[in-house]
Amino acid sequence: MTEGHGVPPAGEAGDEGPGSWEIREPRPGDPEPFSVLHARVWRETYRGIMSDEIVDALEADQFRPLWEQVTAAYAGGRVADDGRGFLVALVGGEPAGFCMHGPSRDEHPPVPHQVWSLNVAPEHQGSGLAQELLVRSLGGRAAYLWVARGNHRAVRFYERQGFVLDGTENLDGHDGVVELRMVRRA
């Protein structure tokens, strides 16, 4: 979930950030470790927001097809040229986070661009890594996103990045989780 769309370049070897992280586009070896990270972040983030039964059942296998599809698209030069992008972050060579964004997936979006997913391992939250992923993904463009009601930490983070709750809610189908829309105007 951008180079060529006014976004600072990312993904060069040695592209180390202030927290000694590497931010780059997905590569063929990424599906397995990032699938594991994806499941772990969701288990830890959504405990208490989704039912324990659903959270406990989250496994890397559920996320692997997405990661395989994305890495294959990047490896084959088949990423749609519609403003979408997907950046991954590593700390000490280990997966630490990712951001996926692109054109709106909603019928009546408040702005044309959407953050589809921004996830950072709990041990790296508060390090500046999520902010760096968001900046490199969006630059200063207007965007919106959905955040689970009850995910107060995420709401506070996005507010610091210029997003505001606009009062729109959506039942997203994940075990009755209600999503709240946040919008950042350019």
Side-chain angles (χ1 to χ4, degrees), residues 41-105:
V41 169
W42 273 44
R43 279 192 305 269
E44 294 183 31
T45 300
Y46 294 109
R47 177 132 352 249
I49 295 173
M50 297 171 76
S51 76
D52 285 348
E53 195 173 89
I54 299 292
V55 172
D56 290 341
L58 290 168
E59 296 292 336
D61 290 345
Q62 294 168 261
F63 298 100
R64 194 171 295 107
L66 166 70
W67 284 95
E68 289 171 348
Q69 180 183 23
V70 167
T71 56
Y74 273 96
R78 296 185 314 271
V79 177
D81 187 18
D82 60 0
R84 73 183 58 213
F86 201 161
L87 294 175
V88 299
L90 299 99
V91 174
E94 296 296 319
F98 56 90
C99 184
M100 186 182 335
H101 64 95
S104 169
R105 293 177 170 170

Side-chain angles (χ1 to χ4, degrees), residues 15-16 29 31 45 47-48 59 64 69 72 89 91 93 102 111 115 128 150 153 156-157 166 170 176 180 182:
D15 187 20
E16 301 292 320
T45 300
R47 177 132 352 249
E59 296 292 336
R64 194 171 295 107
Q69 180 183 23
V91 174
V111 296
V115 176
R153 182 181 182 129
R156 287 189 306 272
F157 167 78
D166 75 350
N170 180 37
L180 310 175
M182 300 187 76

Side-chain angles (χ1 to χ4, degrees), residues 79-164:
V79 177
D81 187 18
D82 60 0
R84 73 183 58 213
F86 201 161
L87 294 175
V88 299
L90 299 99
V91 174
E94 296 296 319
F98 56 90
C99 184
M100 186 182 335
H101 64 95
S104 169
R105 293 177 170 170
D106 296 310
E107 190 172 325
H108 300 290
V111 296
H113 205 77
Q114 182 177 359
V115 176
W116 297 333
S117 181
L118 175 61
N119 287 255
V120 172
E123 63 271 19
H124 298 295
Q125 292 175 2
S127 70
L129 180 56
Q131 181 178 3
E132 185 68 16
L133 280 164
L134 197 60
V135 167
R136 291 197 192 201
S137 294
L138 299 180
R141 84 173 73 172
Y144 76 101
L145 54 88
W146 295 97
V147 63
R149 180 190 291 155
N151 191 345
H152 305 294
R153 182 181 182 129
V155 169
R156 287 189 306 272
F157 167 78
Y158 289 120
E159 286 174 337
R160 288 191 303 272
Q161 310 314 309
F163 288 83
V164 296

